[in-house]
Amino acid sequence: MSQDPKLIHRTVHFTLVDKKAKKILITQRAMSKKTDPGKICFLGEHVISGESYEEALVRGVQEELGIEPKNFREMSGDLFRFPEQTEFSKFFVVEWNGEKIDYKDDELMNIRWVSREELVCLPLDYSNTSKKWVETIDWGLGLTGE
């Protein structure tokens, strides 16, 4: 992928929500990752040419967590500028119903379910994009689906 900050790449970011327990999945990136090693983050994927955001989301959830998402909701979108690239990203919450989560150890070193209050109030070391989503998403709406 070219690294030209003038070009805007499309990306999706996402997390799982357990509506029954009112919990949100957060992940910690592996220390071997080039970008944001060890940081708390939501998962993401670049949108491939010809692919919709929703198709990229489904592919990403399957690749990153081994789950086929059935119910999901777009919560927000924003432009992120980095030294190497610029991304327009949409953020989705995916309803989790107890499916087995299967993540790769070379991608993530930890996953954790947190309450809405813990997500917002705990002093966690978030990646910049995840920090933005934590601060701007209506997490109550994401957990209730109303």
Side-chain angles (χ1 to χ4, degrees):
M1 181 168 293
S2 67
Q3 298 208 348
D4 183 349
K6 292 180 224 148
L7 297 176
I8 298 175
H9 301 279
R10 296 180 308 142
T11 62
V12 294
H13 292 148
F14 58 90
T15 193
L16 302 180
V17 294
D18 179 344
K19 290 184 177 184
K20 290 177 187 162
K22 297 198 180 312
K23 298 282 185 169
I24 302 156
L25 182 75
I26 58 174
T27 63
Q28 185 175 16
R29 289 177 60 85
M31 292 305 289
S32 60
K33 298 301 286 180
K34 179 182 174 187
T35 306
D36 297 325
K39 297 250 183 197
I40 302 297
C41 67
F42 297 117
L43 299 164
E45 290 289 330
H46 278 91
V47 179
I48 298 170
S49 179
E51 188 176 48
S52 70
Y53 283 95
E54 291 78 9
E55 290 167 332
L57 168 73
V58 169
R59 177 178 51 81
V61 175
Q62 290 171 335
E63 288 176 5
E64 300 289 338
L65 301 173
I67 296 171
E68 183 175 340
K70 293 178 180 58
N71 297 314
F72 52 85
R73 180 179 186 171
E74 180 181 330
M75 299 298 290
S76 188
D78 212 336
L79 188 68
F80 295 94
R81 295 186 187 278
F82 304 103
E84 304 86 25
Q85 68 183 17
T86 301
E87 298 178 357
F88 183 80
S89 185
K90 291 187 177 187
F91 186 86
F92 292 83
V93 293
V94 178
E95 190 173 330
W96 181 75
N97 293 299
E99 301 93 339
K100 181 181 184 294
I101 297 173
D102 184 21
Y103 66 92
K104 298 175 184 82
D105 292 342
D106 62 335
E107 295 283 330
L108 302 173
M109 56 191 275
N110 193 18
I111 66 171
R112 178 177 166 192
W113 291 96
V114 296
S115 68
R116 177 175 142 192
E117 293 75 22
E118 290 171 315
L119 181 75
V120 174
C121 296
L122 285 177
L124 299 172
D125 188 15
Y126 289 110
S127 69
N128 287 335
T129 54
S130 294
K131 185 174 179 8
K132 170 81 173 187
W133 300 130
V134 166
E135 293 172 349
T136 61
I137 296 291
D138 181 349
W139 290 100
L141 192 59
L143 289 171
T144 62
E146 295 174 0

